[in-house]
Amino acid sequence: MIGPFGLRVKNTMSERALPMARALARRGHTVSMILPPWDCPVDAGKTWLDDGVEIVNSQLPALPGPLFHLQLAVWLVQAALQRRPDVIHLFKPKAYAGLAHQLLVYLKRLGRHRARLVVDADDWEKAWNKLGDYTFWQRRFFAFQEPWGLRHAEA
């Protein structure tokens, strides 16, 4: 599973993704949550087990601007693919999970992995663009990511 943010600040990963991951682990699946903890830097680089689920937090890049975002997305993809998954579940079709999804689609077309790509959309993300503290360009990019991600998911 790849998330758009860390486990502690916003509720999606802790209240929706983690219980789902725990249930899969109880059924015998190997489950890892790959997270970019930009919203909780104290977790950066930390890994732990939670009820059979491997929680893996990325390091936070020191690169400036767009390079930070790209490096973080690349790290998420690398961490996920290192685990040789059958399925990659991307929570929310926007931000870092959305960027990782775009990279995974591209790599799949090149034959670099065979994982099925599942996108989780629990609400209309575009609506959050007006409420979030986003720049004009972030709002535009997120508005592009959501329909693109839903169209390019296998489930």
Side-chain angles (χ1 to χ4, degrees):
M1 297 181 169
I2 295 178
F5 37 76
L7 195 59
R8 299 182 195 273
V9 177
K10 297 182 181 186
N11 290 331
T12 298
M13 299 313 293
S14 61
E15 299 296 325
R16 289 188 55 249
L18 187 55
M20 186 183 303
R22 288 173 179 152
L24 288 167
R26 281 192 298 275
R27 289 178 170 230
H29 298 281
T30 300
V31 184
S32 299
M33 290 180 62
I34 314 294
L35 306 172
W38 58 267
D39 57 338
C40 189
V42 69
D43 285 342
K46 293 182 181 174
T47 299
W48 64 84
L49 270 173
D50 182 313
D51 202 12
V53 177
E54 179 189 34
I55 308 294
V56 182
N57 292 279
S58 72
Q59 292 287 347
L60 295 178
L63 298 172
L67 294 176
F68 174 96
H69 306 301
L70 183 59
Q71 185 178 9
L72 196 47
V74 167
W75 186 93
L76 295 170
V77 168
Q78 288 174 334
L81 292 179
Q82 284 173 355
R83 286 155 176 81
R84 305 182 67 78
D86 296 319
V87 175
I88 299 176
H89 189 137
L90 300 126
F91 275 84
K92 300 208 176 268
K94 69 182 269 190
Y96 295 111
L99 279 173
H101 183 199
Q102 289 173 281
L103 292 170
L104 287 162
V105 167
Y106 177 72
L107 291 171
K108 190 166 190 171
R109 288 180 181 162
L110 293 176
R112 303 300 291 257
H113 74 88
R114 296 177 55 192
R116 295 184 51 83
L117 303 175
V118 175
V119 172
D120 189 299
D122 62 338
D123 51 27
W124 183 238
E125 295 298 333
K126 190 174 178 182
W128 287 103
N129 281 352
K130 294 177 184 167
L131 299 175
D133 187 25
Y134 303 123
T135 67
F136 170 79
W137 292 110
Q138 285 173 312
R139 286 193 302 273
R140 293 286 304 259
F141 188 61
F142 295 158
F144 157 79
Q145 279 185 306
E146 184 169 25
W148 185 95
L150 296 174
R151 281 194 315 271
H152 289 84
E154 294 169 85

